[in-house]
Amino acid sequence: MTEAIRIYLPWLLSAITIWMTLLAGNLHRNAWLVGLGNQLLWLIWIVVTGTWGLIPLNVALWIVYGRNHLKWARR
């Protein structure tokens, strides 16, 4: 299972990131929720592969996407 996550999850992560970026560009309200879900998948990949140097980016994107979602929800 770990090997499958290591090999195949980056493909899903890439697809979701592209989709979320398109949603945000179209001002879709749920874009940032998709991004938050994607960050959870990124965190799983980081832990499984031991790429600990990506943790700061993951944490920063949790904060940014959460902030953006809250700001957009008030509009």
Side-chain angles (χ1 to χ4, degrees), residues 29 32-33 36 64-74:
R29 178 171 295 230
W32 306 113
L33 291 177
L36 286 168
V64 170
Y65 291 172
R67 172 196 168 271
N68 289 351
H69 173 67
L70 291 174
K71 284 185 80 167
W72 283 32
R74 285 186 246 143

Side-chain angles (χ1 to χ4, degrees), residues 33-65:
L33 291 177
V34 171
L36 286 168
N38 199 32
Q39 288 312 300
L40 176 60
L41 294 175
W42 268 107
L43 184 58
I44 291 168
W45 188 81
I46 290 167
V47 170
V48 167
T49 61
T51 50
W52 305 112
L54 291 175
I55 289 287
L57 176 63
N58 186 259
V59 170
L61 289 176
W62 278 97
I63 293 166
V64 170
Y65 291 172

